[in-house]
Amino acid sequence: MSSTSSKVGQLSLIRCPATIFMHALSYRYGTTMVTVFDSRFLFDDDNVETETSVQQKKVEKLVREEYDKFLAKANANMDEPDAQLSPTLSKTVHSHYLLSSLERLSNTYSTLDSSRSWMCYWALHSLRLLNCDIPEDLKTRIVKFLKSCKTHEGGYAGGPGQAAHLATTYAAVMALVTLKTDEALSSIDRKALRNFILSVKNKDGSFSLHKDGETDMRGAYCALAVATITNILDDEISTNTADWITTCQTYEGGFGSGISCEAHGGYTFCAMASLALLGKTNRAYIPTLLKWLANKQMRYEGGFQGRSNKLVDGCYSYWQAAIFPLIEFALQSENHWKDDYVKHLELFDWKALQMYTLVACQDPSGGLRDKPDKSRDLYHTCYALSGLSIAQDYATADDPNVGDGQNRLNRVNAVFNVCVAEEQRAKEYFANLID
């Protein structure tokens, strides 16, 4: 049997549990069929209680309580004109929370002084997903602040006067891309940026996150994403990186932060997105990756966990769900199937993910959270909304999203995690520059 046909055979086997899951239970809200919150999928500890099993049952109880609140509200409003039988994304309160956060943060954020460029990105990207306008004077002030985060090394720090770091460089560049103005894009010094990226590249193709700093998968992704979107990616930056990345795929199927590390959702996204940027997604072994990834979606809650035997977390709505389009593209580009009836794969339960986000992750005061007993924050708001956008892209005309069009977000580019319009604007801008 050829290697291609062998992979197809394995793929068909691992899709069977997902197919069963997709059709195990149906709740109908208006025209939307959803498979989620089925008591048959509650965690079974086989009468052996552990700390992990106690925490899992607690989360399931919290999610069920949120779902019951939604059902009670829906039933109470059923007789009203234009009653909504689907959970609604509270776009207005989320936008207010995000805009106010860009102006002033609470004291609880004081420990995140080294992540201020990240907070700009999280808030700005969330606002663009919600299609919320950003005041022009605020855009200018953000550009000025991010300029103050540029360092003599050529990268960006988390705040003024701090050291350059690949992660905060990614955050600053993507925040400037999200602003979508000439003022923002022209503030990026591409020559200095390239010098910084090369200064933290290692001979084996990996990247240190900062000078003399740790090396992990985030470094490769941040370097490649920034280089690609600013049109400075070349062989000197990319040499050996795909080779290093493939050594980090684990026996489970996901990728770790480095060689011989545990498979993790965030690092797996960074690995697959990096391979996509290099045009080498075929270097990953897809069958075991897809098996691991599909099993990270929690059967009862509908959201994703980041690692085996962990709890659901709203941020993995993006980190895990965004990998599926990359896998789908890899399989299609390698011609694993040619049947005309295969128009669109459903490799994860996108409706269940939407339900978890809308029912369990929204804070009534604005912003999104990890799970019902956690506080809202900019990080989870960003990645829960990004994951929701990814899930919405899986809908078809015959099988609409939860809430039909009322919850629709702007479309996100799964590789960069910026909205498609902003990504295209940046690529056009940098493609026309003559250095």
Side-chain angles (χ1 to χ4, degrees):
M1 182 181 292
S2 69
S3 61
T4 299
S5 60
S6 174
K7 286 184 179 180
V8 172
Q10 293 181 59
L11 179 60
S12 64
L13 288 174
I14 63 177
R15 287 186 67 196
C16 290
T19 303
I20 294 170
F21 175 35
M22 288 289 292
H23 298 289
L25 180 70
S26 298
Y27 287 115
R28 183 176 292 277
Y29 303 112
T31 59
T32 303
M33 191 76 74
V34 181
T35 54
V36 72
F37 309 140
D38 182 356
S39 61
R40 292 177 298 171
F41 296 146
L42 288 167
F43 182 75
D44 182 4
D45 63 6
D46 293 323
N47 296 317
V48 180
E49 187 177 279
T50 66
E51 181 178 353
T52 301
S53 69
V54 170
Q55 290 299 316
Q56 176 61 29
K57 289 183 177 182
K58 175 185 175 183
V59 170
E60 290 174 349
K61 181 175 181 291
L62 290 168
V63 171
R64 182 67 202 194
E65 289 172 353
E66 293 299 314
Y67 178 58
D68 287 341
K69 291 177 187 177
F70 159 70
L71 286 180
K73 184 176 180 180
N75 289 332
N77 296 335
M78 191 171 294
D79 295 330
E80 296 183 8
D82 302 321
Q84 298 296 331
L85 302 181
S86 299
T88 301
L89 181 64
S90 303
K91 294 181 179 180
T92 301
V93 293
H94 297 326
S95 296
H96 287 165
Y97 164 68
L98 293 162
L99 285 170
S100 64
S101 296
L102 284 171
E103 294 286 357
R104 186 177 181 82
L105 290 168
S106 67
N107 292 336
T108 58
Y109 283 91
S110 60
T111 58
L112 296 177
D113 182 61
S114 61
S115 298
R116 291 167 69 186
S117 54
W118 272 116
M119 289 186 277
C120 289
Y121 163 69
W122 293 331
L124 289 171
H125 178 50
S126 298
L127 287 166
R128 293 309 304 135
L129 285 167
L130 293 164
N131 200 30
C132 178
D133 291 332
I134 302 165
E136 293 301 320
D137 68 310
L138 179 56
K139 291 181 183 179
T140 296
R141 282 185 283 140
I142 292 172
V143 172
K144 182 179 180 181
F145 168 73
L146 292 174
K147 281 183 178 180
S148 72
C149 295
K150 279 200 289 189
T151 73
H152 68 278
E153 298 165 282
Y156 290 81
Q162 299 173 13
H165 192 287
L166 271 177
T168 50
T169 295
Y170 164 89
V173 169
M174 296 307 166
L176 293 166
V177 166
T178 300
L179 288 172
K180 204 180 174 183
T181 64
D182 285 354
E183 179 187 25
L185 297 175
S186 65
S187 71
I188 300 172
D189 184 340
R190 297 194 303 162
K191 183 178 179 180
L193 187 59
R194 182 177 181 277
N195 289 338
F196 170 64
I197 291 172
L198 288 174
S199 74
V200 292
K201 184 175 182 183
N202 303 311
K203 290 182 179 180
D204 63 358
S206 64
F207 290 83
S208 299
L209 285 164
H210 56 91
K211 186 178 179 180
D212 300 324
E214 73 273 29
T215 295
D216 66 38
M217 195 65 70
R218 294 172 299 163
Y221 168 69
C222 291
L224 294 173
V226 166
T228 301
I229 206 162
T230 59
N231 197 29
I232 58 173
L233 182 65
D234 56 20
D235 289 343
E236 193 173 3
I237 292 176
S238 64
T239 298
N240 296 330
T241 300
D243 294 333
W244 179 79
I245 290 171
T246 55
T247 65
C248 300
Q249 188 168 14
T250 77
Y251 71 93
E252 287 186 273
F255 289 76
S257 62
I259 301 170
S260 300
C261 294
E262 180 184 12
H264 182 285
Y267 295 122
T268 300
F269 165 79
C270 289
M272 286 303 294
S274 295
L275 291 175
L277 291 167
L278 295 169
K280 295 182 178 181
T281 49
N282 62 325
R283 297 290 299 275
Y285 188 61
I286 299 298
T288 54
L289 170 59
L290 189 50
K291 181 179 180 180
W292 175 82
L293 187 59
N295 281 291
K296 297 288 94 51
Q297 187 167 21
M298 308 300 280
R299 302 185 80 192
Y300 179 79
E301 301 96 299
F304 283 90
Q305 61 183 182
R307 291 177 285 160
S308 300
N309 209 36
K310 294 293 184 178
L311 302 174
V312 69
D313 185 334
C315 72
Y316 291 107
S317 298
Y318 174 75
W319 296 124
Q320 300 284 38
I323 304 170
F324 287 101
L326 305 181
I327 292 176
E328 186 171 325
F329 176 79
L331 293 173
Q332 289 174 336
S333 64
E334 292 178 24
N335 295 318
H336 279 288
W337 55 79
K338 296 181 180 179
D339 297 317
D340 290 338
Y341 69 86
V342 181
K343 300 297 184 184
H344 185 73
L345 294 178
E346 291 190 4
L347 300 178
F348 73 100
D349 190 336
W350 48 272
K351 287 184 179 175
L353 180 58
Q354 291 184 44
M355 285 295 291
Y356 176 71
T357 304
L358 295 169
V359 171
C361 293
Q362 294 193 84
D363 188 301
S365 300
L368 286 90
R369 57 201 178 193
D370 166 351
K371 53 181 71 70
D373 64 337
K374 302 296 184 181
S375 300
R376 65 182 181 176
D377 60 63
L378 295 174
Y379 170 84
H380 284 92
T381 300
C382 171
Y383 294 108
L385 289 177
S386 293
L388 182 59
S389 177
I390 294 286
Q392 289 174 348
D393 261 2
Y394 266 67
T396 64
D398 298 329
D399 200 5
N401 282 297
V402 174
D404 296 338
Q406 64 180 344
N407 295 329
R408 198 71 175 95
L409 295 170
N410 279 331
R411 189 164 173 254
V412 69
N413 179 292
V415 176
F416 296 104
N417 199 24
V418 295
C419 291
V420 170
E422 281 66 34
E423 176 247 344
Q424 292 175 345
R425 168 78 171 89
K427 284 189 171 179
E428 290 172 2
Y429 178 89
F430 292 117
N432 293 325
L433 286 185
I434 300 176
D435 292 330

